[in-house]
Amino acid sequence: MLSRKGIIPEEYVLTRLAEDPTEPRYRARERRARFVSKKGNCNVAHKNIREQGRFLQDVFTTLVDLKWPHTLLIFTMSFLCSWLLFAMVWWLIAFAHGDLAPGEGTAVPCVTSIHSFSSAFLFSIEVQVTIGFGGRMVTEECPLAILILIVQNIVGLMINAIMLGCIFMKTAQAHRRAETLIFSKHAVIALRHGRLCFMLRVGDLRKSMIISATIHMQVVRKTTSPEGEVVPLHQVDIPMENGVGGNSIFLVAPLIIYHVIDANSPLYDLGPSDLHHHQDLEIIVILEGVVETTGITTQARTSYLADEILWGHRFVPIVAEEDGRYSVDYSKFGNTIKVPTPLCTAHQLDEDHSLLDALTLASARGPLRKRSVAVAKARPKFSISPESLS
C-alpha cells in the first residue's frame, strides 16, 4: 500500500512477509521429474533389480533401511521363532528321556517340571530372557540338555545384539538431525562485489553445532553430447563460497552461501528471461557435517528449479545484536527485497561493462535526486518586494 502511494520505492518493499508453501508467489511449472525434492528426498525409483540376493549379504543395513512396521515385525518374529524352536528341542529332550509320562520315567528328569509343550515353551522363554522363576531348572542328568542351554543363551545374545542394534540405528539415523537444517525456499541472483552471484540461505535450528560442515552444489540438466548421446541427468559441480571463503562453514547462525557466476559457471549464459522457460535446469545443494552430540555424519539436501530462482533479489538481514548477544529472527529467513540488477546474463555483463556502470550511476543518482527534490519541497519560499530593496 505504501509503495502504491509512492512513499516507499517499490524496489525496497519486501516481496514476502513470510514463506507460505500453500500460497506460493511463483508457481512452478509442471516438469517430467524432479531429481531431489525440497525436503532432500531423491526422486529415483529402482526397478527390475535381478540380483536381490545382494541385499541379504548385508543383513544389518537391510534391516536398518526397512520401514518401522517391517522392522518391528521382524523384531517380534525373531524372538517368537527362537522361543518356539528351542521349546521344541526341550520337549523332544524330555520326551526322549521319558519325563513327559508321570511315574514311568527315571527319578531325576533332564528338566524339572516339564510335562507338556506349553511348559517347554515357558522354560524356553525363561532361559533366553533370563527370567528365572525357579519352577523349572536343568539337572545334571542329561549332558545334552546342558549343551542346548549353552546354545540357546548364545543364540539369544546374538538376536538381542542384532535387533537392538537395528532399533538404535533407526532411532539415531543421521537424516533425523538433518530435519533441523533448513534452506531458503527460493534462491536469488543479484550483484555482489560487482559480479552476478547465485545466493541461498542456510541455517541450523539447534544449538548443538555441526562440526566440519561443508556445502556443495551441482547443476543437473538434460544434455546431448556431440555424438548424439542423450544424458538425462548430467551433473556438474560448481563451487560455493561464503564469508570466510572455501566450502567449510561455521554454522552458528544462518549464512548466505553464494556462487560467483563467471566464465566457468554453467549459469554463465542464464538470463532473467530463461528462469521461466528453462524446464531442464535443477540446482542441487548438499550440506554435510558431523553431529556434535553423536559424532554421526549427517547430510541435508534441497534443490531449486529455474522458476524458484528470483532474479534481482537479495535476502534481508535477520541477525541483530540485542542485550549483549546476537539474536536471529527466523520469521524473516526467506524474505527478500528487490535490488537494482542488470537484466542480462553474466556473459553479456562481462562483455559490456557499461551496463554495470550505468546501473551503478543510476542507483547512485537516484537517492540524491529524491533527496534534493524532498529538500526543495521542504524549503520555504520567500517573496521580495521592491520596497524591501530600497
Side-chain angles (χ1 to χ4, degrees), residues 55-110:
F55 295 98
L56 298 178
Q57 295 178 3
D58 187 7
V59 179
F60 185 79
T61 305
T62 303
L63 292 176
V64 173
D65 291 339
L66 290 176
K67 296 181 179 180
W68 270 108
H70 299 162
T71 302
L72 295 178
L73 178 62
I74 295 176
F75 180 83
T76 305
M77 294 303 298
S78 61
F79 284 103
L80 287 178
C81 292
S82 63
W83 294 340
L84 289 172
L85 175 63
F86 283 99
M88 180 63 69
V89 174
W90 290 117
W91 184 83
L92 291 176
I93 291 176
F95 178 77
H97 195 258
D99 299 336
L100 297 180
E104 298 181 3
T106 59
V108 180
C110 293

Coordinates of all heavy atoms in Angstrom, one line a residue, residues 55-110:
F55 N 21.2 -57.9 -1.3 CA 20.7 -57.2 -0.1 C 20.8 -58.1 1.1 O 21.0 -57.6 2.3 CB 19.2 -56.8 -0.3 CG 19.0 -55.8 -1.4 CD1 18.6 -56.2 -2.6 CD2 19.2 -54.5 -1.1 CE1 18.5 -55.2 -3.6 CE2 19.0 -53.5 -2.0 CZ 18.6 -53.9 -3.3
L56 N 20.7 -59.5 1.0 CA 20.9 -60.4 2.1 C 22.3 -60.5 2.5 O 22.5 -61.0 3.6 CB 20.3 -61.7 1.7 CG 18.8 -61.7 1.4 CD1 18.3 -63.1 1.0 CD2 17.9 -61.2 2.5
Q57 N 23.3 -60.2 1.7 CA 24.7 -60.2 2.1 C 25.0 -59.2 3.2 O 26.0 -59.3 3.9 CB 25.6 -60.1 0.9 CG 25.4 -61.2 -0.1 CD 26.3 -61.0 -1.3 OE1 27.1 -60.0 -1.4 NE2 26.2 -61.9 -2.3
D58 N 24.2 -58.1 3.2 CA 24.4 -57.1 4.2 C 23.0 -57.0 5.0 O 22.2 -56.1 4.8 CB 24.8 -55.8 3.6 CG 25.1 -54.7 4.6 OD1 25.2 -55.1 5.8 OD2 25.3 -53.6 4.3
V59 N 22.8 -58.0 5.9 CA 21.5 -58.1 6.5 C 21.3 -56.9 7.5 O 20.2 -56.4 7.6 CB 21.4 -59.4 7.3 CG1 20.1 -59.5 8.0 CG2 21.6 -60.6 6.4
F60 N 22.3 -56.4 8.2 CA 22.2 -55.4 9.1 C 21.7 -54.1 8.4 O 20.7 -53.4 8.9 CB 23.5 -55.1 9.9 CG 23.4 -54.1 11.0 CD1 22.9 -54.4 12.2 CD2 23.8 -52.8 10.8 CE1 22.7 -53.5 13.2 CE2 23.7 -51.9 11.8 CZ 23.2 -52.2 13.0
T61 N 22.4 -53.7 7.3 CA 21.9 -52.5 6.6 C 20.6 -52.6 6.0 O 19.8 -51.7 6.0 CB 23.0 -52.2 5.5 OG1 24.3 -52.1 6.1 CG2 22.6 -50.8 4.8
T62 N 20.2 -53.8 5.6 CA 18.9 -54.1 5.0 C 17.8 -53.9 6.1 O 16.8 -53.3 5.9 CB 18.8 -55.5 4.4 OG1 19.8 -55.6 3.4 CG2 17.4 -55.7 3.8
L63 N 18.1 -54.4 7.3 CA 17.1 -54.2 8.4 C 17.0 -52.8 8.8 O 15.9 -52.3 9.2 CB 17.6 -55.1 9.6 CG 17.5 -56.6 9.4 CD1 18.0 -57.3 10.7 CD2 16.1 -57.0 9.2
V64 N 18.1 -52.0 8.8 CA 18.0 -50.6 9.2 C 17.3 -49.8 8.1 O 16.5 -48.9 8.5 CB 19.5 -50.1 9.4 CG1 19.4 -48.5 9.6 CG2 20.1 -50.7 10.6
D65 N 17.4 -50.2 6.9 CA 16.7 -49.4 5.8 C 15.2 -49.8 5.7 O 14.5 -49.0 5.0 CB 17.4 -49.7 4.5 CG 18.8 -49.1 4.4 OD1 19.1 -48.2 5.1 OD2 19.6 -49.6 3.6
L66 N 14.8 -50.8 6.4 CA 13.4 -51.2 6.3 C 12.5 -50.1 7.0 O 13.0 -49.4 7.9 CB 13.1 -52.6 6.9 CG 13.7 -53.8 6.1 CD1 13.4 -55.0 6.9 CD2 13.0 -53.9 4.7
K67 N 11.2 -50.1 6.7 CA 10.3 -49.2 7.4 C 10.0 -49.8 8.8 O 10.2 -51.0 9.0 CB 9.0 -49.1 6.6 CG 9.2 -48.5 5.2 CD 7.8 -48.4 4.5 CE 8.0 -47.7 3.1 NZ 6.7 -47.6 2.4
W68 N 9.6 -48.9 9.6 CA 9.3 -49.3 11.0 C 8.4 -50.4 11.2 O 8.7 -51.3 12.0 CB 8.8 -48.1 11.8 CG 9.9 -47.2 12.4 CD1 10.4 -46.0 12.0 CD2 10.8 -47.6 13.5 NE1 11.4 -45.6 12.8 CE2 11.7 -46.5 13.7 CE3 10.9 -48.7 14.3 CZ2 12.7 -46.6 14.7 CZ3 11.8 -48.8 15.3 CH2 12.7 -47.7 15.5
P69 N 7.2 -50.5 10.5 CA 6.4 -51.7 10.7 C 7.1 -53.0 10.3 O 6.9 -54.0 11.0 CB 5.2 -51.4 9.8 CG 5.2 -49.9 9.7 CD 6.6 -49.5 9.7
H70 N 7.8 -53.0 9.3 CA 8.6 -54.2 8.9 C 9.6 -54.6 9.9 O 9.9 -55.7 10.2 CB 9.2 -54.1 7.5 CG 8.1 -53.8 6.4 ND1 8.5 -53.3 5.2 CD2 6.8 -54.0 6.4 CE1 7.4 -53.2 4.5 NE2 6.3 -53.6 5.2
T71 N 10.3 -53.5 10.4 CA 11.4 -53.8 11.4 C 10.8 -54.4 12.7 O 11.4 -55.3 13.3 CB 12.2 -52.5 11.7 OG1 12.7 -52.0 10.5 CG2 13.3 -52.7 12.7
L72 N 9.7 -53.8 13.2 CA 9.1 -54.3 14.4 C 8.5 -55.7 14.2 O 8.6 -56.5 15.1 CB 8.0 -53.4 14.8 CG 8.4 -52.0 15.3 CD1 7.2 -51.1 15.6 CD2 9.4 -52.0 16.4
L73 N 8.0 -56.0 13.0 CA 7.5 -57.4 12.7 C 8.7 -58.4 12.8 O 8.5 -59.5 13.4 CB 6.8 -57.4 11.4 CG 6.3 -58.7 10.9 CD1 5.2 -59.3 11.9 CD2 5.7 -58.6 9.5
I74 N 9.8 -58.0 12.1 CA 10.9 -58.9 12.2 C 11.5 -59.1 13.6 O 11.9 -60.1 14.0 CB 12.0 -58.4 11.2 CG1 11.5 -58.5 9.7 CG2 13.3 -59.2 11.3 CD1 12.4 -57.9 8.7
F75 N 11.5 -58.0 14.3 CA 12.0 -58.0 15.7 C 11.1 -59.0 16.5 O 11.7 -59.8 17.3 CB 11.9 -56.6 16.3 CG 12.3 -56.4 17.7 CD1 13.7 -56.3 18.0 CD2 11.4 -56.5 18.7 CE1 14.1 -56.2 19.3 CE2 11.8 -56.4 20.1 CZ 13.2 -56.2 20.4
T76 N 9.8 -58.9 16.4 CA 8.9 -59.8 17.2 C 9.0 -61.2 16.7 O 9.1 -62.1 17.5 CB 7.5 -59.3 17.1 OG1 7.4 -57.9 17.5 CG2 6.6 -60.1 17.9
M77 N 9.0 -61.4 15.4 CA 9.1 -62.8 14.9 C 10.4 -63.5 15.2 O 10.4 -64.7 15.3 CB 8.8 -62.8 13.4 CG 7.4 -62.4 13.0 SD 6.1 -63.4 13.8 CE 6.5 -65.0 13.1
S78 N 11.5 -62.8 15.2 CA 12.8 -63.4 15.5 C 12.8 -64.0 16.9 O 13.3 -65.1 17.1 CB 13.9 -62.4 15.4 OG 13.7 -61.3 16.3
F79 N 12.2 -63.3 17.9 CA 12.2 -63.8 19.3 C 11.2 -65.0 19.4 O 11.4 -66.0 20.0 CB 11.8 -62.7 20.3 CG 12.9 -61.8 20.6 CD1 13.0 -60.5 20.0 CD2 13.9 -62.2 21.4 CE1 14.0 -59.7 20.3 CE2 15.0 -61.4 21.7 CZ 15.1 -60.1 21.2
L80 N 10.0 -64.8 18.7 CA 9.0 -65.9 18.8 C 9.5 -67.2 18.2 O 9.3 -68.3 18.7 CB 7.7 -65.4 18.2 CG 6.9 -64.4 18.9 CD1 5.6 -64.0 18.1 CD2 6.4 -64.9 20.3
C81 N 10.1 -67.0 17.0 CA 10.6 -68.2 16.3 C 11.7 -68.9 17.1 O 11.8 -70.2 17.2 CB 11.1 -67.9 14.9 SG 9.8 -67.3 13.8
S82 N 12.6 -68.2 17.7 CA 13.7 -68.8 18.5 C 13.1 -69.5 19.8 O 13.5 -70.6 20.1 CB 14.7 -67.7 18.9 OG 14.1 -66.7 19.7
W83 N 12.1 -68.8 20.4 CA 11.5 -69.5 21.6 C 10.8 -70.8 21.2 O 10.9 -71.8 21.9 CB 10.5 -68.5 22.2 CG 11.1 -67.3 22.8 CD1 12.4 -67.1 23.2 CD2 10.5 -66.0 23.1 NE1 12.6 -65.9 23.7 CE2 11.4 -65.2 23.6 CE3 9.2 -65.6 22.9 CZ2 11.1 -63.9 24.0 CZ3 8.9 -64.3 23.3 CH2 9.9 -63.4 23.9
L84 N 10.0 -70.7 20.1 CA 9.3 -71.9 19.6 C 10.3 -73.0 19.2 O 10.1 -74.2 19.5 CB 8.4 -71.6 18.5 CG 7.2 -70.8 18.8 CD1 6.4 -70.3 17.5 CD2 6.2 -71.6 19.7
L85 N 11.4 -72.6 18.5 CA 12.4 -73.6 18.1 C 13.0 -74.4 19.3 O 13.1 -75.6 19.3 CB 13.4 -73.0 17.2 CG 14.6 -73.9 16.8 CD1 14.1 -75.0 15.9 CD2 15.7 -73.0 16.1
F86 N 13.5 -73.6 20.3 CA 14.1 -74.2 21.4 C 13.1 -74.9 22.3 O 13.4 -75.9 23.1 CB 14.9 -73.2 22.2 CG 16.2 -72.9 21.5 CD1 16.4 -71.8 20.8 CD2 17.3 -73.7 21.7 CE1 17.6 -71.5 20.2 CE2 18.5 -73.5 21.1 CZ 18.7 -72.3 20.3
A87 N 11.8 -74.4 22.3 CA 10.8 -75.1 23.0 C 10.6 -76.5 22.5 O 10.4 -77.5 23.2 CB 9.5 -74.3 23.0
M88 N 10.6 -76.6 21.2 CA 10.5 -77.9 20.5 C 11.7 -78.8 20.9 O 11.5 -80.0 21.2 CB 10.4 -77.8 19.0 CG 10.3 -79.1 18.2 SD 8.8 -80.0 18.6 CE 7.6 -78.9 17.9
V89 N 12.9 -78.2 21.0 CA 14.1 -79.0 21.4 C 14.0 -79.5 22.8 O 14.2 -80.7 23.1 CB 15.3 -78.2 21.2 CG1 16.6 -78.9 21.7 CG2 15.6 -77.8 19.7
W90 N 13.5 -78.6 23.7 CA 13.4 -79.1 25.1 C 12.3 -80.1 25.3 O 12.4 -81.1 26.1 CB 13.0 -77.9 26.0 CG 14.2 -76.9 26.2 CD1 14.2 -75.6 25.8 CD2 15.4 -77.1 26.8 NE1 15.4 -75.0 26.1 CE2 16.2 -75.9 26.7 CE3 16.0 -78.3 27.4 CZ2 17.5 -75.8 27.2 CZ3 17.3 -78.2 27.9 CH2 18.0 -77.0 27.8
W91 N 11.2 -80.0 24.5 CA 10.1 -81.0 24.5 C 10.6 -82.4 24.0 O 10.3 -83.4 24.6 CB 9.0 -80.5 23.7 CG 7.8 -81.4 23.8 CD1 6.8 -81.5 24.7 CD2 7.4 -82.4 22.8 NE1 5.9 -82.4 24.5 CE2 6.2 -83.1 23.3 CE3 8.0 -82.9 21.6 CZ2 5.6 -84.1 22.6 CZ3 7.4 -83.9 21.0 CH2 6.2 -84.5 21.4
L92 N 11.4 -82.3 23.0 CA 12.0 -83.6 22.4 C 13.0 -84.2 23.4 O 13.0 -85.5 23.6 CB 12.7 -83.3 21.1 CG 11.8 -83.0 19.9 CD1 12.6 -82.6 18.7 CD2 10.8 -84.1 19.6
I93 N 13.7 -83.4 24.1 CA 14.7 -84.0 25.1 C 13.9 -84.6 26.3 O 14.2 -85.7 26.7 CB 15.6 -82.9 25.7 CG1 16.6 -82.4 24.6 CG2 16.4 -83.3 26.9 CD1 17.5 -81.3 25.0
A94 N 12.8 -83.9 26.7 CA 12.0 -84.5 27.8 C 11.3 -85.8 27.3 O 11.1 -86.8 28.1 CB 11.0 -83.5 28.3
F95 N 10.8 -85.8 26.0 CA 10.1 -86.9 25.5 C 11.1 -88.1 25.4 O 10.7 -89.3 25.7 CB 9.5 -86.6 24.2 CG 8.8 -87.7 23.5 CD1 7.5 -88.1 23.9 CD2 9.4 -88.4 22.5 CE1 6.9 -89.2 23.3 CE2 8.8 -89.5 21.9 CZ 7.5 -89.9 22.3
A96 N 12.3 -87.9 24.9 CA 13.3 -89.0 24.7 C 13.7 -89.5 26.1 O 14.0 -90.7 26.2 CB 14.5 -88.5 23.9
H97 N 13.8 -88.7 27.1 CA 14.2 -89.1 28.4 C 13.1 -89.8 29.2 O 13.3 -90.4 30.3 CB 14.8 -88.0 29.2 CG 15.6 -88.4 30.4 ND1 15.1 -88.3 31.7 CD2 16.9 -88.9 30.5 CE1 16.1 -88.7 32.5 NE2 17.2 -89.1 31.8
G98 N 11.8 -89.6 28.7 CA 10.7 -90.2 29.4 C 10.2 -89.4 30.5 O 9.5 -89.9 31.5
D99 N 10.4 -88.0 30.4 CA 9.9 -87.2 31.5 C 8.5 -86.7 31.4 O 7.9 -86.2 32.3 CB 10.8 -85.9 31.6 CG 12.3 -86.2 31.9 OD1 12.5 -87.3 32.5 OD2 13.1 -85.4 31.5
L100 N 7.9 -87.0 30.2 CA 6.5 -86.5 29.9 C 5.5 -87.5 30.5 O 4.3 -87.0 30.8 CB 6.3 -86.3 28.4 CG 7.2 -85.3 27.7 CD1 6.8 -85.2 26.3 CD2 7.0 -83.9 28.4
A101 N 5.8 -88.8 30.7 CA 4.9 -89.7 31.3 C 5.1 -89.8 32.8 O 6.2 -90.3 33.2 CB 5.1 -91.1 30.6
P102 N 4.2 -89.3 33.5 CA 4.4 -89.4 35.0 C 4.4 -90.8 35.6 O 3.6 -91.6 35.2 CB 3.2 -88.6 35.5 CG 2.1 -88.7 34.5 CD 2.9 -88.8 33.2
G103 N 5.4 -91.0 36.4 CA 5.6 -92.3 37.0 C 6.3 -93.4 36.2 O 6.6 -94.4 36.8
E104 N 6.6 -93.1 34.9 CA 7.3 -94.1 34.1 C 8.8 -93.7 33.9 O 9.5 -94.5 33.5 CB 6.6 -94.2 32.7 CG 5.2 -94.7 32.9 CD 4.5 -94.9 31.5 OE1 5.2 -94.6 30.5 OE2 3.3 -95.3 31.5
G105 N 9.1 -92.4 34.1 CA 10.5 -92.0 33.8 C 11.4 -92.3 35.0 O 11.0 -92.9 36.0
T106 N 12.6 -91.9 34.8 CA 13.6 -92.0 35.9 C 13.3 -91.0 37.0 O 12.5 -90.1 36.9 CB 15.0 -91.8 35.4 OG1 15.1 -90.4 34.8 CG2 15.4 -92.8 34.3
A107 N 13.9 -91.2 38.1 CA 13.7 -90.4 39.3 C 14.1 -89.0 39.1 O 13.4 -88.0 39.5 CB 14.4 -91.0 40.5
V108 N 15.2 -88.7 38.3 CA 15.7 -87.4 38.1 C 15.5 -87.0 36.6 O 16.1 -87.7 35.7 CB 17.2 -87.3 38.4 CG1 17.8 -85.9 38.2 CG2 17.5 -87.8 39.9
P109 N 14.7 -86.0 36.3 CA 14.4 -85.7 34.9 C 15.5 -84.8 34.4 O 16.3 -84.2 35.2 CB 13.1 -84.9 34.9 CG 13.1 -84.3 36.3 CD 13.8 -85.3 37.2
C110 N 15.6 -84.6 33.1 CA 16.6 -83.7 32.5 C 16.2 -82.2 32.9 O 17.1 -81.4 33.2 CB 16.6 -83.8 30.9 SG 17.2 -85.4 30.4

